[in-house]
Amino acid sequence: MPLDIFFEVCTFHYLSSKDSLPIFYVNSKITSKLKPLDLIQLSRVSKQFRNIFMSKSSRYVWIEARKNVHGMPDPPDCLPEPKYASVVFERNCFVSAQSKAVQIQPKLVAAIALEKERKVWAERGVRIGLRRQEVRTLYQLYIEDIEDDEVLLPDSVEFTYLPEVTALVSRDDGLIEVTQERFMDVVAEAMTTFNISERAKLANMLREQAPRFTDYDSSDEDDGTISRTPMEIACDLEVLNRATSILKCYRCSLSSPTSYFPFTKITRHNLKFHPDSPYKAISREKAVTGTASAVLKVLGLPSSTRYSDISRKIVCLCGKPDFQQPAEFSELILHITRENSWYIQALRSP
Ligand SMILES: [Zn+2]
Ligand SMILES: [Zn+2]
C-alpha cells in the first residue's frame, strides 16, 4: 500500500501541547483496505508505529486485514494475529530466533493446515446441506405418485441420508444442484436398498415377538429354535405376509381400528396420517397377535396362513353389525381382542 495514501487518510491527535509525539489512531477507512503484510511493514516503519500496531487495541485491524485475504483461516488460539501474519506471509519464521522455534514451527504449520481444512469442510457441509434440501423437495413430490402399497417409505430427512443419496449430494463437494434428472438417477436404487434393509428389520421384529403354542403342530412354523444365522432370519421375509403379523401404529390413537393394519398397508397408512414421519413407530400388540393366532387355530389353519388369504373372508358370530359381513382381518381381530378383554374384566369384577 502506498504510504502517501495512508498518511492522507489517517488522523493525528496530540495528547497535549507538552507531548512531542503524536498519538496515532488508526483510521478504519484505511484498515479496511489493508492486508496482513501491509501491517507488518507498517509496524516496522518506526518505534511509534510498532507501538500502535502491536497494541492490543489494534487487534481488530489485524483481524480485518486477515479477512481481506480470501480463504485465510482464523489463527490457532496459541498465536497472536501479528505473529500469525508473519508466519504466513514472511519467509522467515517470526519466532525462528527463539530457542523453541524448532518445536513451534511444525506445530504451527500443522495447526494452520488443520484450520484451513476445517474451513473447507465447513463450507462443503453447508453446500451439501443445501443439496439435501433440494433432494427433500424432490422426494416429497416423488412419493405422491407411489401406488405400490408394499413399498416402505423413509421419511424425507432419512431419505437424504441413504447411502445412494449421500453419494449424490456429496458429488463434486456439493457444488452441483440436484436436478430432477439427477434425483431420478438414484431414487430407485436408494428405495430398493432401503426396502431390503427395513423389511429384514421388520421381519426380525415380527419373529422375535411371534407367539408360541405348545399344543400346536408347528411343523410349518419356524419357531426360531432351529439354529439359523441372523442373516438367514433377516432374509426370510415371508413372516411379513402372515395373518398374525398385524402391526400397530403408535402415532395413532390406540383405540382406533385404523391404527392396526397388515404390512401391506404401512405405506398407505403413513401417507394418509403421517406423510412426513418415519414408519418406525410401528410394532405389534401381543394381545392382538395372540388373538390372530388363536383364530387361525380355531379355524384349523396353519399359523403361516397369509393375511391376504383370510382377510375379508370370515365373519364374527357375536352379532355386532360391523362384522356380520366378511371384514378386514386386522379390524376383525382387534374387535375380538377388545371383546375378549371386556369379558375377562367382567368375569373378574365382583
Ligand atoms: Zn398412524
Ligand atoms: Zn364379534
Side-chain angles (χ1 to χ4, degrees), residues 30 33 37 47 51 54 58 69 88 123 154 158 186 193 198 214 231 234 249 255-257 267 277 303 338 350:
I30 299 176
K33 309 290 182 193
L37 192 57
K47 191 176 178 184
N51 289 340
M54 294 302 170
S58 293
V69 180
V88 173
E123 290 171 354
E158 187 177 18
V186 304
T193 306
E198 294 304 311
T214 52
M231 187 56 73
C249 175
S255 59
S256 164
T267 293
S277 301
S303 58
R338 299 292 180 252

Side-chain angles (χ1 to χ4, degrees), residues 236-287:
D236 184 359
L237 303 179
E238 182 55 27
V239 67
L240 297 172
N241 299 314
R242 290 186 179 179
T244 51
S245 297
I246 295 172
L247 302 162
K248 177 175 71 171
C249 175
Y250 283 96
R251 289 175 184 268
C252 289
S253 162
L254 297 186
S255 59
S256 164
T258 58
S259 59
Y260 295 82
F261 40 78
F263 165 75
T264 51
K265 293 192 176 173
I266 291 178
T267 293
R268 193 182 302 172
H269 175 89
N270 279 324
L271 284 177
K272 186 172 179 182
F273 297 103
H274 324 288
D276 203 28
S277 301
Y279 79 91
K280 287 175 181 167
I282 277 177
S283 184
R284 71 185 341 190
E285 191 174 296
K286 201 173 176 184

Side-chain angles (χ1 to χ4, degrees), residues 315-324 332 335-336 339:
V315 298
C316 183
L317 301 177
C318 74
K320 191 169 183 182
D322 292 351
F323 299 100
Q324 287 178 0
L332 183 71
H335 156 68
I336 296 171
E339 291 282 305

Side-chain angles (χ1 to χ4, degrees), residues 76-181:
D77 292 340
C78 61
L79 200 63
E81 292 279 352
K83 286 187 181 180
Y84 179 52
S86 174
V87 169
V88 173
F89 293 101
E90 294 189 306
R91 287 193 176 184
N92 298 322
C93 176
F94 192 88
V95 290
S96 59
Q98 297 178 18
S99 59
K100 291 182 180 175
V102 176
Q103 291 82 31
I104 291 172
Q105 195 171 17
K107 285 184 185 174
L108 196 57
V109 170
I112 293 167
L114 194 66
E115 182 61 23
K116 279 183 181 173
E117 193 178 346
R118 188 198 63 76
K119 193 169 182 181
V120 167
W121 273 95
E123 290 171 354
R124 181 179 181 272
V126 169
R127 288 195 301 272
I128 290 176
L130 289 172
R131 301 289 85 86
R132 283 206 160 94
Q133 191 54 47
E134 291 163 0
V135 167
R136 280 187 72 184
T137 305
L138 291 165
Y139 176 71
Q140 280 159 347
L141 292 171
Y142 171 80
I143 61 175
E144 285 179 8
D145 296 329
I146 287 186
E147 292 177 351
D148 184 351
D149 286 339
E150 296 197 18
V151 174
L152 295 174
L153 299 177
D155 72 285
S156 60
V157 173
E158 187 177 18
F159 178 78
T160 67
Y161 285 90
L162 295 179
E164 294 81 0
V165 182
T166 297
L168 171 70
V169 298
S170 310
R171 207 166 292 157
D172 297 309
D173 286 332
L175 285 166
I176 306 173
E177 181 189 356
V178 179
T179 59
Q180 171 82 13
E181 190 179 2

